[in-house]
Amino acid sequence: MRADARENRARVLTVARELFAERGLDVPMAAIARRAGVGVATLYRRFPTKESLVVEAFTEQFAHCQAVIDDAMQDPDAWRGFCTVIEQVCLLQVRDRGFTAAFVASFPELHSEVRDRTWTSFSALVQRAKDSGQLRADFSPHDLMLVLLANNGLSGAPVEAAVAASRRLVAYLLESFRTGTDALPPPVPLSLDLVLN
Amino acid sequence: MRADARENRARVLTVARELFAERGLDVPMAAIARRAGVGVATLYRRFPTKESLVVEAFTEQFAHCQAVIDDAMQDPDAWRGFCTVIEQVCLLQVRDRGFTAAFVASFPELHSEVRDRTWTSFSALVQRAKDSGQLRADFSPHDLMLVLLANNGLSGAPVEAAVAASRRLVAYLLESFRTGTDALPPPVPLSLDLVLN
DNA sequence: TGCTAAGTGGAGACCCCCATCCGCTTGGCT
DNA sequence: AGCCAAGCGGATGGGGGTCTCCACTTAGCA
């Protein structure tokens, strides 16, 4: 690959990440091309389809999620680790408008092994928090999807407002997740496949 | 207005409500026209723009919300009334895919007096629940928007899954809203204008 | 029953998006 | 320096959306 081409490719990726974060996944390819200072064709030569660009643009974010979970497992306080994961992921989600869409878009085929690994890590984290007696026993790992989807509902707002709203929502939810309350949420812990179409 | 015209108009509205509920606001006007058994022109003669059709189609839903709140104010148990409102509105929202979108779409100008009335009613309900000692004192009426937006995040799923998920989310949230917990959510109660763009 | 204004529906103008094609430009090896 | 494949950008095709125009139909009064 020629030097200029490599540079263009990198710039496209950067710009794509910016625009996806600002405006969501439905920003036109032409807009990305324009802001990156290249033609549309260049974009399509490097990324044969829009989806491939999306996937490529978000892999680092996904990796970051995994890192957050791994770090949390190292936290000596299981509950604090659990909270940190929820908070960090929700923050990520609400700061980057395209994040969730990219997540569900790349869900079916791509990253399937990454997804499985993240899932088992998170389940372990949940189990550890339950064992420590601070996370309510009827919390389901599938509730993560509940939190993610709910939190994603806030993404429409301008970033700062969304961040503040998300913080408040997460605080409310974490309070419910902690042991010490008596009432139970409905028993059905939905599978995430059901929830995501 | 001629008799057949009146009938067509009514059928269009019914069909529009069905389709908006099933598929969200972005169903094409042509689809509505087809299912209503009329041409596209007929549709546009009665409703000069798509937005006007949306507004018209959802006014009854908004009225229903108001009724739910009014009913709740009659409930001798202030907390139960509060819960009912949250539950019912969230159910409505998750059963009708277009509901929230229609709500924010018609937000700026239209229905402004309706909106104000609903808002003051809800605030009164909140105050009553606080006075009864069952709703935490730092709950803000603006938190309603938080709940609505969060709940709306679940609307993407197929209806049954969404309903179940919504029930669980609402149960979690209501548990947090009740008095008796010590931790506080972040102090900033966002204004709803900030959250909705 | 006949007239006419109100009502109708389909074709198509216009716009935006994804993706491709093709003639021109340029990096970088020789 | 010269060559040429790799790279480039704008024009273009194709699909799908909102909304308009216009020749035809029909309700409903006299």
Side-chain angles (χ1 to χ4, degrees):
Chain A
M1 191 144 101
R2 240 162 62 175
D4 53 347
R6 202 166 345 109
E7 191 178 307
N8 277 341
R9 192 191 133 95
R11 205 167 50 248
V12 162
L13 263 180
T14 307
V15 165
R17 277 193 265 261
E18 286 170 13
L19 285 182
F20 288 152
E22 285 169 25
R23 301 206 250 142
L25 291 195
D26 43 3
V27 4
M29 292 295 259
I32 299 173
R34 193 163 0 100
R35 170 114 70 130
V38 301
V40 201
T42 303
L43 220 142
Y44 277 97
R45 190 165 320 100
R46 297 302 158 218
F47 308 94
T49 167
K50 181 172 185 173
E51 196 193 337
S52 67
L53 172 61
V54 168
V55 171
E56 180 85 16
F58 280 94
T59 37
E60 79 174 9
Q61 298 265 38
F62 294 160
H64 181 61
C65 282
Q66 181 65 53
V68 166
I69 296 181
D70 289 346
D71 280 5
M73 276 304 262
Q74 303 307 316
D75 193 321
D77 182 336
W79 171 249
R80 193 176 55 193
F82 174 80
C83 290
T84 306
V85 167
I86 302 279
E87 285 161 0
Q88 290 297 310
V89 173
C90 284
L91 188 62
L92 213 65
Q93 194 182 24
V94 92
R95 272 220 269 248
D96 190 326
R97 248 177 151 138
F99 182 80
T100 304
F103 182 71
V104 317
S106 72
F107 208 84
E109 317 97 68
L110 243 8
H111 303 295
S112 69
E113 78 297 337
V114 172
R115 171 167 52 99
D116 290 351
R117 185 163 116 65
T118 306
W119 186 250
T120 50
S121 305
F122 181 72
S123 299
L125 190 77
V126 165
Q127 193 52 54
R128 196 174 72 118
K130 281 184 190 176
D131 291 344
S132 87
Q134 290 171 282
L135 176 62
R136 55 194 296 168
D138 59 355
F139 181 89
S140 159
H142 292 296
D143 281 333
L144 176 64
M145 295 311 293
L146 203 63
V147 176
L148 258 42
L149 289 174
N151 187 65
N152 184 237
L154 310 176
S155 304
V159 188
E160 286 177 51
V163 168
S166 168
R167 260 210 280 272
R168 193 168 170 92
L169 177 70
V170 168
Y172 273 135
L173 285 175
L174 287 178
E175 205 169 300
S176 285
F177 295 159
R178 217 175 13 173
T179 44
T181 49
D182 38 357
L184 298 180
V188 195
L190 300 148
S191 106
L192 82 175
D193 312 324
L194 246 179
V195 177
L196 290 171
N197 287 359
Chain B
M1 192 147 103
R2 241 163 63 174
D4 54 346
R6 204 168 340 111
E7 192 179 307
N8 276 341
R9 192 191 132 94
R11 205 167 50 249
V12 162
L13 264 180
T14 307
V15 165
R17 277 193 265 260
E18 285 171 13
L19 285 181
F20 287 152
E22 284 169 26
R23 302 205 250 143
L25 290 195
D26 45 1
V27 337
M29 291 296 259
I32 299 174
R34 193 165 358 101
R35 184 128 133 201
V38 300
V40 200
T42 302
L43 221 144
Y44 276 98
R45 191 165 319 99
R46 297 302 158 219
F47 307 95
T49 169
K50 181 172 184 173
E51 196 193 336
S52 67
L53 172 60
V54 168
V55 170
E56 181 84 17
F58 280 94
T59 38
E60 79 173 9
Q61 299 264 38
F62 294 161
H64 181 61
C65 283
Q66 182 63 55
V68 166
I69 297 182
D70 290 345
D71 281 4
M73 275 303 262
Q74 303 307 317
D75 193 321
D77 183 336
W79 171 249
R80 192 176 56 191
F82 175 80
C83 290
T84 306
V85 167
I86 302 281
E87 286 160 0
Q88 290 298 310
V89 173
C90 285
L91 188 62
L92 212 66
Q93 194 182 24
V94 93
R95 271 221 270 249
D96 190 326
R97 249 179 151 138
F99 183 81
T100 305
F103 183 70
V104 317
S106 72
F107 208 83
E109 317 98 68
L110 244 7
H111 303 294
S112 69
E113 79 297 338
V114 172
R115 171 167 52 99
D116 289 352
R117 186 164 115 64
T118 306
W119 186 251
T120 50
S121 304
F122 180 73
S123 299
L125 189 76
V126 164
Q127 193 52 54
R128 197 174 71 118
K130 281 185 189 175
D131 292 344
S132 86
Q134 290 171 283
L135 176 62
R136 57 193 296 167
D138 59 355
F139 182 89
S140 158
H142 292 296
D143 281 332
L144 175 64
M145 295 311 294
L146 203 63
V147 176
L148 258 42
L149 290 174
N151 186 67
N152 185 236
L154 310 176
S155 304
V159 188
E160 286 175 52
V163 168
S166 168
R167 261 209 280 271
R168 193 168 170 91
L169 177 70
V170 167
Y172 272 134
L173 285 175
L174 287 178
E175 205 170 302
S176 284
F177 294 160
R178 218 175 14 172
T179 44
T181 49
D182 40 354
L184 299 180
V188 196
L190 300 147
S191 106
L192 82 176
D193 313 324
L194 248 178
V195 175
L196 291 169
N197 288 359

